Every structure is written in C-alpha cells, then in structure tokens.
Amino acid sequence: MARTVCSFLVLALLISTNFYAHAQAPMSENPFFKEYGTPFETPAFDKIKEEHYLPAFREGIRQQQVEIEAIVNNPEPPTFENTIEALERSGALLTKVGDVFNNLTESNTNDNLQKIAEEVSPLLSKNDDDILLNAKLFARIKAVYDQLGSSKAAKAKAKGSSYKDVAVSGSVKLSVEQKKLLDDTYRDFVRGGANLDAAQQAELREINKNIALLQLKFSQNVLKENNTYRLGVDKKEDLAGLPQGLIDAAAQTAKETKSNSPWVFTLQNASIMPFLQYAENRGLREKIFKAYLNRGNNGTQFDNKENASKIVSLRVKRAHLLGYKTHADFVLEKTMAKNPANVSKLLKKLWTPAIAMAKREAKDMQEMINKEPKPFKLEAWDWRYYAEKVKKAKFDLDEEEIRPYLKLDNIRDAAFDVARKLYGITLTERFDIPKYHPDVKVFEVKEADGKHVGIMYFDYHPRDSKRGGAWMESFRKQSRENGKEIRPIICNVCNFTKPTGDTPALLTFDEATTLFHEFGHALHGLLSNSTYGSLSGTAVARDFVELPSQIMENWISDPEVLRMYAKHYKTGEPMPQSLIDKIKKAGTFNQGFATVEYLAASVLDMDWHTIADTTLVDPLKFEAASMKKLGLIPEIAPRYRTQYFNHIFNSGYSAGYYSYIWAAVLDADAFQAFKDKGLFDQTLAKSFRSNVLERGGTEDPMTLYKRFRGAEPDIKPLLKRRGLL
C-alpha cells in the first residue's frame, strides 16, 4: 500500500536503528553463525528473524575478506589447491545467508526485507569487486593458469578427453572439472576487470554498484505494481463466462483485501489469464489487459522506464570498459550461442513461420467476430477469449473441461512418479523441517536404495509477498569438500490458484506444464554430482539451463501419465481417452501466438542489449521501433514489455531470454530419442542423468549434449512440435 514520504522516512529510520541495535547482539543468538540444528541442516526458518540478516551479511563479508587475504599472503608458490580451490571455498557464511535472504526476497518479502536488500546490495557489489579487482589475487590465479592451463590440456580436450585426468604440467594433474574451474576462474577475473588500470577499475566499481541498485529497484517496482492494481467487479452480470472456480477465487481475494467490491481480480497470472480467456465483458478485458501492459509505466514512484534506460546505458559502459562492443557480446561469450549473430539467426529462422501462423490464427478469430451481431476488429485483449472459442469450435475442447482432472497434488505426484520411473528417486513429505510460509510443503528425496539425495520445498500459491512467475532456486547447492558430501536443498516456487472452499487447487494444462518445467530444474539441482558448488546443478551456460526443465514438460502430455494421474477431483475417475485425444489433437493450436509473443520478447531483449551507444534511450519509443522493425502484428503484445521485463533487468537473462527457444531446440531433439526408444527407456534415462543432470557446468554443454544424443541437435523436431513446418 502507498504511504506518505514522511512516514516512509520515519519507518526507514526506525528499521535502520533496529538493525544496528541487533548488529551488536552476541553471535550466539544469530542462527546463521552456527549450525542450524535442523534435519539435514535445512534453514532454521523458525529461528531466523529479520534482524539477523544484516549482521550475518557483514560478518560473511568480513570472513571472506580474511580468507582472501590468507590466499594472497600465502608464502607458498600458487597452486590449484592453495589458490583456485581456496578461492572457491571462501565465503561460506556469505553464501549461507545470501541463499536464504535472496530466496525470501523473491518468495516471501516485505518492506523490511526490501530495506535490508537496499542496504546490502552495495556492500555485496563492493565485496565482489574487491575480490575480482584484487591485483595480488589475480597474479596468483594467472600464475596457476599459465602453469596448468597449458597446451597439453588443450590438446587433450580437443581429442575428446572426458572424465579421465588430464596431465598438464609435469606430475601435476587436473581433472576435467578442475580444469573447467581454473578456466572459469581466470576468465571471470578478466571479465571482472582484473586487467584494467586503477582509474578504470574505480569506474567499473561505480558502474557495478549503480547497476545492482537499479536492478533491485526495478524488481521491487514490478512487485509493487502487481500488488497495487485491483479490478473490482460489483455486478454479477459482469462475471458472465467466467468459470465458477475463478469467481470463487475472486470473492476470496475481495475478502482478503477488504474490498468494497464482492469480486476482485488481480494481475497475478492465475487471475488475469483466465479472466482474459473467459470474460464476456470486453470492456473489462480491455481494462485489466491494459493495466497488465502498463505496469511500470504509470508515472508513479514505481515507474520503471528511467530505471530500464539507465541499466542499459550502464551495461554498455561496462562492456566498453571491458573491451566489448555491446553488453550482448559480453554476455554471449559464455553461452552456447557465443555471439549475437547466432542468436539473431535462430530467432529469424523461427519468426517467419511463426508470424505466418499467427496471422492465420488472427484471421480465424476475425472471421468468428465478423459473424457476431456487432462485429469489431480483433484487439490484443480479445486474443485469448476468441482463441478459446476457436479451439472449442475446431477441437470441441474447453480448458475448463480439463481443469477438474488436474488437481495440483495429483499433478505434483505425477511429476514425482515420472522422476521415479526415469531416475529411480522417490520423494516423501517431511513434517519436521521448518518452513518459511504455511503454504510451503517439504519433501525428502532419496535414491531407490534409500540413500539421501536432497530436500525439496514446494511453494505453489500466489500472495502479495511473492513476485509473479515460476522459478527454481537453491537454499544450498550440491558439492563435496574434504571427502564430505554436501547435499542440495532446492525450492520450486509458482503462482497457481489457491484452493477455495471445498474445491482443491485445480490447474490449467499450461500450469501443469509449468509444474513439470520447474520440477525439471529441481532435478538438475538435486541430481548434481560435482565437486565444486560454482559448477554444480544449474550453474551452466544460460542457453543450456532450460534443457532439463523443458524436456521434463514432455511427460505431462503423455497419455500414460495422464491416464494414471489426471483424475477428476470429485469422482476420482481418470481422464477419459476422448479428452486425452482432444488434447493431443489440439497440441499445435495457438502455437503461432505462443511462439510470436515469446520471440517478440526475445528480440526486444537482444535489441536492448546490442545497443552500442551509452546515450539514454526513451524505452517506449525504442520498444515501438523494435517491434515495428520486427513486424509484430498489433493483435499480439510481447510476452514482456520493457518496464516489467524482470528476466532481463533483474533476473540474469539479459541478452539471454532467447535461451528458452534455444533450449527448446535441444529438448525437442533430445525427447525425440525417448519417443523413438521408449518414454521411460532406462538406458536413455541413465545417459541423460549422467551426461546432463549430474554434470552441471563441469564441461562444455555441447560436449555433454552430444555425449547423450550422439550428434548436435536438429531443429526439425521443434518445428514439427509447434506446427511450424
């Protein structure tokens, strides 16, 4: 809720005073300064308080600085162990508190946590720069790199060396994973400004600090814009067309928000998307759709246009300082795509058939509208509504016909069972592990022989304290240290409709697919088998990280899975074969729209980050020019507009939103192998686990993919899947 500037400043002062008072408290009172004492050392959410974070961050930074000084001042000659590995192991406390805090500011935040984030952000930026710009530390890293990153290693790698040790310098040997850690560490320091002079490094520090603060502000503004808007409906006739479950959820929201209206709809996907899909009231569809598109563009304190423009300009400055033409060139150097030209080539290859299909879809809808008593021109807020009508007419398929069979708990169990059949793992709910919110459920993951694999948190329902979307994060990554196996603690966060009254949480087919998608990311983190945390699990090239998640989506549409787990929530009857057949038949329906809105956002991302000039740009004019050049039709908006595009302005996907479609090529090609040999073929599953899920970022991703598939990916399975051939 909005508050006056005066009251905000008073609150900020009180909070700040409270933090510093608690900063003087004994370390023994802070859960971060000792073992949690919980099962599997999961975070002690029942003991962690807001006042614990800032002291833990400060102490974590101090400890890491001491550890760095010990590396720098080691009198022994630099080696992989006393320099590269020691650096990798540094900052344990900082990682411990950061993993908890960062997850909660995304999934269960409040004004106090956001205040802490604003205070901590420049401290963390400075600490990162203090490490990356430490000349003595880089000298030791370079010495190790020059000694061990020799031509012998390069030649061995070129010959296809895999898990075998690679002799690199006399009697010294590095494993493939160690070699990757050495290469990544050296490259990260160079990319972090280690070769710049003092004046340039000072400039880089200032740029990094400002980017960090602007990104944080951008994300906070999006959350506040999402939470601020409410569409109140007072007349029952304005609910015409809406499913009863959505109406019940809107009534519940009205009660929770103490609205004067009996029904309230929000900008959360679980509310707005079905509203756009079913609401007969065209005026209300337009109203909520425009509110959705204008998040961060309302001229309020939450406006993000200036933040976006400044972030882009600073990223260009940083790229130039580090010797790159654009931010995209800087980012893509570490990906499978390698450069902007390769990304553009893929996007253009898909755009032509996708926009052609979208225009045909628009034509079908316009023809339906023209038959109505008062015809009008199809607009963007009409698309989902008339797409649903066309689907009903063409395939006799109604999304609401599917939803009663997709009970959330059943679909979650279906994902568990697919993982069991593929990889032999089981998930069992635990009730003795602290949770950060009552909605959260916790499961222990085990191998078939009972060996502990990790812990999974599932947080599935929307609330004001959670940002929109769906994601996977780690409270602790898998690694090994001194012979000790450190098992992962993973979290899946989504925004699915809550249960209402006697009706359980029921999913759309898209939401069921999202559940499987995020669980695929979770498997990537859970089944990791690496030594170093910085290379484990999802720590892979940005355009490779979506492969494990997207390939997992394929199993939810498998008839065998649907027959077993898609059961009517009232009767328990399995989904009838006739409905399964309809879902399969409609598989490519509306894929022109889905592909075009995604590609438009990907192109917008690339256009922003191939800017080579630091001049501030008007975001609205820039976006309009970008979409006009692309040829986007007015009936479709980009999946994300600039001012709320969190993926590229705060979530690590800058110059990388294309990754989903890049990975879609990989996943369609990879899943083709399962279709050819069997959906639960154990040989294939074992190969995918050992060559992809377990390996993390320990090797080049294309090397890992080819080891699984036997060849580079073919784009044809993706085109066929989407009906674009």
Side-chain angles (χ1 to χ4, degrees):
M1 294 183 180
R3 60 165 66 97
T4 65
V5 174
C6 181
S7 64
F8 180 83
L9 290 175
V10 171
L11 178 62
L13 179 60
L14 289 171
I15 292 170
S16 180
T17 303
N18 189 42
F19 291 157
Y20 285 108
H22 282 284
Q24 304 304 316
M27 286 188 177
S28 60
E29 297 179 9
N30 192 318
F32 291 116
F33 294 147
K34 53 189 175 183
E35 290 191 350
Y36 289 128
T38 55
F40 309 105
E41 271 299 287
T42 53
F45 292 117
D46 55 338
K47 298 176 182 176
I48 296 171
K49 299 178 181 178
E50 291 171 1
E51 59 262 28
H52 293 145
Y53 288 113
L54 190 57
F57 271 118
R58 291 187 182 279
E59 177 61 17
I61 290 172
R62 188 196 68 79
Q63 287 186 16
Q64 187 169 38
Q65 290 173 346
V66 170
E67 292 163 343
I68 297 301
E69 284 302 304
I71 298 171
V72 168
N73 296 319
N74 189 336
E76 297 294 325
T79 65
F80 179 86
E81 289 76 14
N82 70 22
T83 300
I84 307 300
E85 200 165 57
L87 175 61
E88 167 74 13
R89 304 298 188 195
S90 72
L93 174 58
L94 193 56
T95 299
K96 181 180 181 180
V97 61
D99 285 348
V100 172
F101 181 77
N102 293 335
N103 282 322
L104 263 59
T105 55
E106 296 288 302
S107 60
N108 198 35
T109 192
N110 57 44
D111 289 344
N112 292 354
L113 291 183
Q114 291 182 17
K115 169 63 180 175
I116 298 171
E118 291 172 8
E119 195 160 353
V120 166
S121 178
L123 300 180
L124 296 176
S125 177
K126 181 180 183 299
N127 185 58
D128 288 343
D129 286 338
D130 285 345
I131 295 171
L132 291 171
L133 302 178
N134 187 316
K136 291 182 179 179
L137 178 59
F138 180 59
R140 290 184 68 92
I141 292 170
K142 188 175 186 304
V144 178
Y145 183 80
D146 289 344
Q147 176 195 12
L148 300 181
S150 68
S151 59
K152 289 183 180 180
K155 289 177 181 177
K157 186 175 181 180
K159 290 179 180 178
S161 175
S162 176
Y163 304 116
K164 297 179 181 178
D165 286 347
V166 179
V168 292
S169 181
S171 60
V172 178
K173 292 183 178 181
L174 292 184
S175 68
V176 168
E177 184 176 354
Q178 289 173 323
K179 178 65 169 61
K180 185 67 161 53
L181 180 64
L182 173 59
D183 288 346
D184 284 359
T185 302
Y186 177 77
R187 181 170 58 177
D188 287 346
F189 270 73
V190 172
R191 289 166 56 84
N195 283 329
L196 300 179
D197 62 32
Q200 291 172 323
Q201 289 187 354
E203 183 180 359
L204 182 62
R205 285 176 179 272
E206 189 67 16
I207 290 172
N208 287 340
K209 182 184 75 172
N210 290 333
I211 288 176
L213 287 170
L214 285 167
Q215 289 181 165
L216 177 64
K217 186 65 174 175
F218 187 97
S219 178
Q220 290 179 350
N221 283 352
V222 174
L223 178 63
K224 289 169 182 174
E225 284 277 78
N226 277 340
N227 290 340
T228 299
Y229 183 82
R230 300 283 187 268
L231 175 65
V233 176
D234 300 318
K235 299 177 182 178
K236 192 170 184 179
E237 55 264 34
D238 288 336
L239 302 173
L242 297 179
Q244 188 60 47
L246 184 62
I247 294 172
D248 293 342
Q252 184 171 315
T253 300
K255 290 180 182 178
E256 292 172 352
T257 58
K258 298 179 180 178
S259 173
N260 292 326
S261 300
W263 301 279
V264 168
F265 299 88
T266 72
L267 299 183
Q268 294 282 0
N269 275 359
S271 181
I272 184 176
M273 293 308 167
F275 188 91
L276 292 172
Q277 193 171 357
Y278 293 107
E280 293 179 9
N281 189 316
R282 188 171 185 244
L284 290 181
R285 291 203 310 269
E286 178 181 2
K287 186 176 182 180
I288 197 170
F289 184 77
K290 286 184 174 178
Y292 184 80
L293 287 189
N294 279 306
R295 289 173 293 167
N297 181 36
N298 292 305
T300 67
Q301 68 269 39
F302 307 139
D303 198 287
N304 262 337
K305 296 191 293 294
E306 185 177 351
N307 291 330
S309 185
K310 286 181 177 178
I311 289 170
V312 169
S313 177
L314 287 169
R315 286 173 175 171
V316 176
K317 287 181 181 178
R318 182 172 60 189
H320 289 176
L321 199 58
L322 295 171
Y324 297 85
K325 181 181 178 182
T326 69
H327 178 70
D329 288 288
F330 171 72
V331 169
L332 294 172
E333 182 182 62
K334 294 182 66 175
T335 65
M336 295 180 76
K338 302 303 182 187
N339 57 63
N342 288 337
V343 174
S344 296
K345 183 179 178 181
L346 173 65
L347 297 181
K348 288 178 181 178
K349 185 180 293 186
L350 292 166
W351 178 259
T352 300
I355 191 64
M357 175 180 278
K359 288 178 179 178
R360 291 195 297 272
E361 292 167 354
K363 183 180 178 183
D364 287 343
M365 290 182 233
Q366 189 63 60
E367 289 176 354
M368 180 173 282
I369 293 171
N370 291 341
K371 295 177 183 177
E372 295 187 352
K374 296 181 179 180
F376 52 84
K377 182 184 179 301
L378 176 73
E379 299 286 357
W381 51 87
D382 300 314
W383 191 290
R384 287 176 173 82
Y385 180 76
Y386 281 95
E388 186 65 23
K389 283 182 169 293
V390 171
K391 182 168 67 174
K392 178 71 174 174
K394 281 192 171 185
F395 305 102
D396 190 27
L397 180 62
D398 183 345
E399 189 71 47
E400 285 304 301
E401 187 181 359
I402 302 172
R403 191 191 284 265
Y405 293 94
L406 302 183
K407 181 181 175 182
L408 172 58
D409 288 351
N410 288 355
I411 301 306
R412 183 199 63 207
D413 290 346
F416 292 177
D417 199 46
V418 168
R420 179 187 62 80
K421 289 182 177 180
L422 289 171
Y423 310 119
I425 63 173
T426 60
L427 289 91
T428 305
E429 189 166 6
R430 299 282 300 239
F431 300 95
D432 57 340
I433 293 176
K435 304 183 293 185
Y436 61 86
H437 191 276
D439 286 350
V440 175
K441 293 189 176 183
V442 189
F443 289 76
E444 182 184 1
V445 186
K446 295 180 180 180
E447 298 282 10
D449 62 5
K451 181 181 178 182
H452 177 75
V453 172
I455 295 295
M456 268 296 307
Y457 294 80
F458 294 94
D459 182 358
Y460 280 148
H461 301 302
R463 52 181 175 268
D464 286 351
S465 62
K466 183 195 291 188
R467 73 172 173 88
W471 63 94
M472 165 268 187
E473 283 290 356
S474 305
F475 284 113
R476 184 176 69 216
K477 298 193 69 177
Q478 179 272 331
S479 64
R480 284 186 289 273
E481 186 172 1
N482 299 324
K484 179 183 177 183
E485 186 73 26
I486 299 170
R487 297 311 307 167
I489 302 172
I490 306 299
C491 188
N492 270 174
V493 186
C494 301
N495 281 279
F496 303 141
T497 304
K498 287 183 177 181
T500 54
D502 295 331
T503 305
L506 302 175
L507 306 180
T508 66
F509 196 77
D510 281 347
E511 288 174 331
T513 302
T514 296
L515 188 152
F516 267 65
H517 177 103
E518 297 306 331
F519 189 59
H521 279 310
L523 292 175
H524 202 182
L526 287 166
L527 300 181
S528 176
N529 184 24
S530 304
T531 300
Y532 305 110
S534 66
L535 298 176
S536 73
T538 57
V540 300
R542 178 61 66 189
D543 46 9
F544 191 63
V545 76
E546 297 298 334
L547 169 59
S549 56
Q550 291 182 191
I551 194 172
M552 190 68 180
E553 294 177 16
N554 292 279
W555 276 273
I556 184 55
S557 58
D558 172 56
E560 180 181 345
V561 174
L562 288 175
R563 277 193 295 269
M564 289 182 63
Y565 287 94
K567 297 180 180 180
H568 199 283
Y569 78 97
K570 287 184 177 179
T571 66
E573 290 295 314
M575 181 180 286
Q577 186 61 46
S578 58
L579 185 53
I580 293 175
D581 292 341
K582 289 179 186 179
I583 293 172
K584 185 175 181 180
K585 188 177 179 182
T588 61
F589 176 75
N590 211 34
Q591 280 300 304
F593 168 82
T595 307
V596 162
E597 69 155 4
Y598 166 78
L599 291 176
S602 300
V603 169
L604 179 60
D605 169 33
M606 291 305 298
D607 282 353
W608 270 120
H609 291 111
T610 49
I611 291 176
D613 190 345
T614 59
T615 303
L616 293 178
V617 176
D618 182 317
L620 298 185
K621 290 181 180 178
F622 182 87
E623 181 180 302
S626 171
M627 295 299 96
K628 182 178 180 180
K629 180 181 178 181
L630 177 63
L632 180 64
I633 57 178
E635 295 87 351
I636 300 177
R639 182 175 295 178
Y640 297 101
R641 294 195 62 202
T642 296
Q643 69 274 3
Y644 56 86
F645 206 162
N646 249 331
H647 278 78
I648 68 172
F649 289 113
N650 185 55
S651 297
Y653 277 83
S654 60
Y657 192 64
Y658 76 92
S659 301
Y660 291 93
I661 204 75
W662 187 281
V665 174
L666 299 177
D667 108 69
D669 181 73
F671 190 67
Q672 186 64 46
F674 283 96
K675 289 200 291 186
D676 292 342
K677 293 189 176 182
L679 292 179
F680 297 101
D681 183 88
Q682 289 301 291
T683 301
L684 277 176
K686 182 178 180 181
S687 177
F688 191 77
R689 176 173 177 168
S690 63
N691 290 310
V692 177
L693 298 178
E694 292 184 356
R695 299 302 297 162
T698 60
E699 291 189 71
D700 177 79
M702 187 58 78
T703 299
L704 295 175
Y705 185 82
K706 289 194 293 185
R707 193 177 294 140
F708 162 70
R709 193 67 169 100
E712 291 193 3
D714 184 353
I715 196 174
K716 289 180 182 177
L718 174 66
L719 296 175
K720 182 178 180 181
R721 175 195 291 176
R722 299 198 175 202
L724 300 177
L725 277 177

